[in-house]
């Protein structure tokens, strides 16, 4: 994946050689930075940063490490890597509320600068769930329905960039849909659920195309395509169900204030 796999061509539709690289240090470093900031939140009364947030972020970092270390010997393994790096790991990292932790850890001046950055209109547009949907699902369609995937087999740098895109877009999508962190101008929960439903349908449709070998440009044997499509179909559903549950768990319906309605007999 991102810097962790040597890339070579092959008839099985995956990357031939596996060699863990410096990219495996990325999840370790980000969790160490997060944990150091969380430990500084401990107060004199023993309270501090919620353990469930640390556990969620740690789980996300662990899933990212597994995705980076997973041997890539075929298209099915590639699908597992995408599921871990692009969907499951981002959800765990986002549920750790790293933005809130950063705001608590920074001094007042830098904290205000971060808040001003989050409130910029351009960032608000970028952080919209529809943007995340276009980057994640649209990226998948571009990868498998164009010569892009074939090109990643021959060009390692392109391979790394594609998977870096899925990690970052996965973080953006999870944060815009269900992130507990403060977000700029997030749409209402029903809108986010609709966007998530579109993502589920788009994932399922692409998995079916891969399973049938229709309109896709993936140089892999049919059995590899079917195995990878199965991972995408069922694993993607599980990841998106988890995202929906995370969204509903933080949903606090707005209470409308107004005069009480009276009924006359």
């Amino acid at each position: 994946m991102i810097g962790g796999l040597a890339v070579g061509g092959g008839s099985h539709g995956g990357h031939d050689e596996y060699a863990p690289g410096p990219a495996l240090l990325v999840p370790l470093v980000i969790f160490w930075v997060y944990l150091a900031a969380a430990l500084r939140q401990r107060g004199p009364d023993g309270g501090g940063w919620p353990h469930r947030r640390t556990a969620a972020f740690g789980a996300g970092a662990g899933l990212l490490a597994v995705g980076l270390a997973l041997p890539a010997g075929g298209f099915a393994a590639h699908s597992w890597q995408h599921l871990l790096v692009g969907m499951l790991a981002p959800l765990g990292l986002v549920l750790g509320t790293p933005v809130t932790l950063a705001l608590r850890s920074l001094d007042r001046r830098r904290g205000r600068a971060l808040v001003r950055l989050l409130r910029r209109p351009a960032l608000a547009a970028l952080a919209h769930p529809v943007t995340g949907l276009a980057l994640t699902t649209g990226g998948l369609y571009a990868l498998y329905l164009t010569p892009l995937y074939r090109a990643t087999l021959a060009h390692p740098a392109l391979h790394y960039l594609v998977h870096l895109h899925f990690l970052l877009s996965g973080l953006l999508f999870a944060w815009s849909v269900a992130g507990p962190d403060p977000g700029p101008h997030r749409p209402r929960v029903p809108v986010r659920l609709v966007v998530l439903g579109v993502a589920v349908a788009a994932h399922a449709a692409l998995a079916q195309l891969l399973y049938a070998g229709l309109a896709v440009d993936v140089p892999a044997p049919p059995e590899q395509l079917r195995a990878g499509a199965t991972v995408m179909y069922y694993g993607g559903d599980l990841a998106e169900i988890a995202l929906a549950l995370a969204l509903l768990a933080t949903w606090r319906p707005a209470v409308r204030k107004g005069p009480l309605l009276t009924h006359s007999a």
Side-chain angles (χ1 to χ4, degrees):
M1 304 304 289
I2 308 168
L5 300 176
V7 181
S11 61
H12 49 54
H15 300 87
D16 290 333
E17 298 178 5
Y18 163 69
L24 288 177
L25 294 175
V26 172
L28 177 63
V29 170
I30 63 173
F31 183 63
W32 180 85
V33 172
Y34 180 97
L35 186 60
L39 291 175
R40 285 199 295 270
Q41 303 302 312
R42 189 179 301 276
D45 58 351
W49 187 249
H51 296 305
R52 70 181 186 281
R53 298 298 185 199
T54 304
F57 195 90
L63 290 169
L64 177 58
V66 172
L68 294 174
L70 189 67
F75 186 68
H78 164 84
S79 298
W80 275 110
Q81 289 176 325
H82 168 72
L83 177 65
L84 290 166
V85 174
M87 300 183 75
L88 294 175
L91 178 58
L93 295 173
V94 163
L95 291 179
T97 58
V99 175
T100 300
L101 180 59
L103 289 172
R104 291 191 184 184
S105 303
L106 296 173
D107 58 49
R108 182 173 299 179
R109 180 178 62 84
R110 292 177 180 175
R112 287 177 176 173
L114 179 57
V115 170
R116 287 195 299 270
L117 176 63
L118 291 174
R119 290 177 176 173
R120 293 198 174 191
L123 188 58
L126 178 64
H128 196 280
V130 172
T131 305
L133 173 67
L135 291 173
T136 54
T137 306
L140 279 175
Y141 275 79
L143 179 63
Y144 298 131
L145 271 62
T146 73
L148 180 57
Y149 180 81
R150 190 183 295 271
T152 65
L153 300 176
H155 303 287
L158 181 60
H159 171 68
Y160 304 150
L161 287 174
V162 165
H163 285 88
L164 178 61
H165 161 80
F166 284 122
L167 173 62
L168 296 179
S169 61
L171 286 168
L172 175 63
F173 186 62
W175 185 72
S176 64
V177 170
D181 273 323
H185 311 297
R186 273 199 183 104
R188 294 178 297 112
V189 167
V191 175
R192 285 182 269 164
L193 285 173
V194 169
V195 173
L196 185 55
V198 173
V200 171
H203 253 104
L206 181 58
Q208 290 169 353
L209 288 175
L210 285 166
Y211 194 90
L214 295 175
V216 296
D217 189 6
V218 177
E223 62 273 13
Q224 278 287 334
L225 278 179
R226 289 193 292 268
T230 301
V231 172
M232 178 182 293
Y233 189 89
Y234 292 106
D237 277 356
L238 289 175
E240 283 153 344
I241 288 172
L243 187 58
L245 291 175
L247 171 58
L248 294 175
T250 59
W251 187 7
R252 298 294 182 269
V255 178
R256 294 183 180 181
K257 296 181 179 180
L260 294 177
L261 296 178
T262 59
H263 299 274
S264 58

